[in-house]
């Protein structure tokens, strides 16, 4: 019997501007893992044991929606885990759920708690199918149907604006909010409101997550010839102490101590498929 099975799926071409990827994890072994803020909201289907999150003192719902978070989490399960996860681009979940994603900040909520009949129908279908490929197909069909309903000209314009701002943050996390607002032709106040509504975090907080994820990417290739001051500079931190302080807030460890705990991996700056 396969003890663990971790697979990634690429979205169809029409969904690629909105969905980064899907991943599926199966295991019949006890799970104890550490996760970090990844900068992307997710919809999670647990077909067996949901995961327990001690930081929130609760277990995920079998059908969970995860917003932007700014803290590390320890995830536990006694075994028999089977989960399907949809990883969205940072700024698009509102188009599919028709709600401000800022309401999901630092939260794991049950999809059943939302007044969204079509979303609940999707969950019912997923839990009725055993075949993973069929489940991914059903999810894609639902997402495509939502795009048709949701992408008005105004929504499309707003998504393009915030997508452009997020890409600029990926390239230059130190760019000011005023500069970002100017590049997408909005006032600072308008930009901050729209960014928070679509991304689920304010621009400054999201820039911190981007810097952290960028540092994880560089730590993936860390050697003794490298040094933390260089990583701090490349990621836009003020200095090495600023880097270490922020890194510990998002991961629970200093950069060098994390290397002794697990292999760093950047969800935001790696594409697994």
């Amino acid at each position: 019997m396969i003890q663990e099975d971790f697979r990634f799926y690429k979205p169809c071409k029409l969904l690629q501007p909105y969905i980064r990827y899907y991943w599926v994890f199966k295991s019949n072994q006890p799970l104890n893992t550490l996760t970090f803020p990844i900068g992307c909201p997710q919809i999670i289907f647990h077909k067996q044991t949901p995961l327990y999150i001690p930081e929130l003192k609760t277990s995920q719902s079998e059908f969970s929606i995860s917003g932007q978070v700014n803290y590390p989490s320890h995830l536990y399960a006694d075994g028999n885990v089977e989960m399907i996860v949809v990883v969205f681009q940072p700024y698009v979940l509102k188009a599919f759920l028709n709600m401000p994603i800022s309401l999901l900040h630092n939260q794991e909520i049950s999809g059943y708690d939302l007044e969204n009949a079509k979303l609940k129908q999707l969950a019912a279908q997923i839990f009725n199918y055993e075949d993973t490929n069929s489940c991914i197909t059903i999810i894609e069909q639902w997402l495509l149907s939502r795009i048709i309903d949701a992408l008005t000209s105004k929504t499309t314009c707003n998504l393009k604006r915030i997508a452009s701002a997020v890409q600029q943050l990926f390239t230059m996390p130190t760019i000011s909010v005023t500069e970002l607002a100017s590049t997408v032709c909005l006032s600072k106040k308008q930009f901050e409101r729209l960014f928070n509504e679509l991304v689920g975090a304010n621009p400054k907080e999201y820039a911190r997550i981007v810097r952290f994820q960028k540092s994880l990417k560089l730590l993936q290739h860390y050697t003794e010839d490298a040094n933390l001051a260089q990583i701090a500079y490349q990621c836009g931190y003020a200095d090495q102490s600023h880097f270490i302080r922020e890194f510990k807030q998002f991961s629970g460890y200093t950069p060098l101590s994390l290397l002794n705990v697990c292999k760093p991996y950047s969800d935001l700056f790696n594409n697994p498929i």
Side-chain angles (χ1 to χ4, degrees):
M1 181 177 180
I2 296 175
Q3 300 297 309
E4 291 191 358
D5 183 7
F6 208 131
R7 288 181 288 166
F8 292 91
Y9 295 79
K10 188 174 184 177
C12 68
K13 189 173 182 180
L14 284 174
L15 287 172
Q16 285 172 21
Y18 314 102
I19 309 300
R20 292 194 65 209
Y21 50 82
Y22 314 99
W23 59 266
V24 175
F25 177 72
K26 299 180 183 180
S27 175
N28 59 10
Q29 299 294 312
L31 176 71
N32 179 357
T33 190
L34 176 66
T35 65
F36 312 128
I38 69 169
C40 296
Q42 302 169 87
I43 292 181
I44 305 163
F45 302 91
H46 287 289
K47 304 193 79 174
Q48 294 198 52
T49 308
L51 304 180
Y52 179 73
I53 308 171
E55 287 80 6
L56 299 178
K57 297 180 180 180
T58 187
S59 292
Q60 290 179 324
S61 164
E62 66 173 10
F63 173 34
S64 292
I65 301 173
S66 177
Q68 299 287 354
V69 300
N70 59 14
Y71 58 87
S73 297
H74 293 81
L75 304 178
Y76 295 94
D78 291 333
N80 298 319
V81 173
E82 181 179 353
M83 52 196 299
I84 300 174
V85 180
V86 185
V87 182
F88 290 81
Q89 296 288 1
Y91 40 81
V92 302
L93 185 56
K94 180 181 185 294
F96 294 96
L97 297 186
N98 193 30
M99 60 178 284
I101 304 308
S102 54
L103 297 177
L104 302 178
H105 186 257
N106 279 346
Q107 291 196 60
E108 297 264 351
I109 69 167
S110 171
Y112 296 123
D113 291 339
L114 300 181
E115 296 298 322
N116 190 321
K118 291 184 178 179
L119 189 62
K120 293 174 184 177
Q121 289 171 5
L122 169 65
Q125 287 182 286
I126 296 303
F127 294 125
N128 281 334
Y129 277 81
E130 292 187 9
D131 178 65
T132 298
N133 290 330
S134 297
C135 290
I136 298 296
T137 298
I138 291 167
I139 291 169
E140 292 228 305
Q141 290 172 344
W142 184 84
L143 291 168
L144 288 167
S145 71
R146 292 298 301 148
I147 284 179
I148 294 172
D149 294 337
L151 290 186
T152 63
S153 57
K154 181 180 178 180
T155 298
T156 300
C157 179
N158 286 338
L159 287 176
K160 287 180 177 178
R161 280 173 159 160
I162 301 305
S164 174
V166 167
Q167 288 302 318
Q168 289 181 74
L169 281 173
F170 287 176
T171 304
M172 190 169 54
T174 55
I175 188 171
S176 72
V177 177
T178 301
E179 287 179 277
L180 282 175
S182 178
T183 61
V184 297
C185 302
L186 291 172
S187 71
K188 183 172 180 286
K189 187 174 181 179
Q190 287 175 319
F191 173 71
E192 288 178 320
R193 183 174 62 248
L194 182 62
F195 193 99
N196 202 15
E197 188 177 292
L198 296 188
V199 176
N202 66 56
K204 286 186 176 180
E205 180 181 44
Y206 193 72
R208 294 174 63 217
I209 294 171
V210 170
R211 284 196 298 268
F212 167 70
Q213 281 286 328
K214 199 166 188 176
S215 72
L216 284 176
K217 175 71 172 177
L218 295 176
L219 282 170
Q220 286 176 222
H221 310 289
Y222 184 83
T223 66
E224 293 184 0
D225 296 330
N227 64 66
L228 296 184
Q230 289 175 331
I231 294 176
Y233 174 76
Q234 288 178 266
C235 296
Y237 291 100
D239 51 36
Q240 184 173 322
S241 63
H242 179 214
F243 168 40
I244 293 172
R245 185 171 64 253
E246 291 262 303
F247 193 94
K248 190 170 183 179
Q249 180 177 340
F250 286 123
S251 72
Y253 295 88
T254 66
L256 293 183
S257 63
L258 182 68
L259 293 172
N260 297 320
V261 174
C262 64
K263 185 175 181 180
Y265 179 82
S266 172
D267 292 276
L268 195 59
F269 286 92
N270 285 301
N271 193 339
I273 47 174

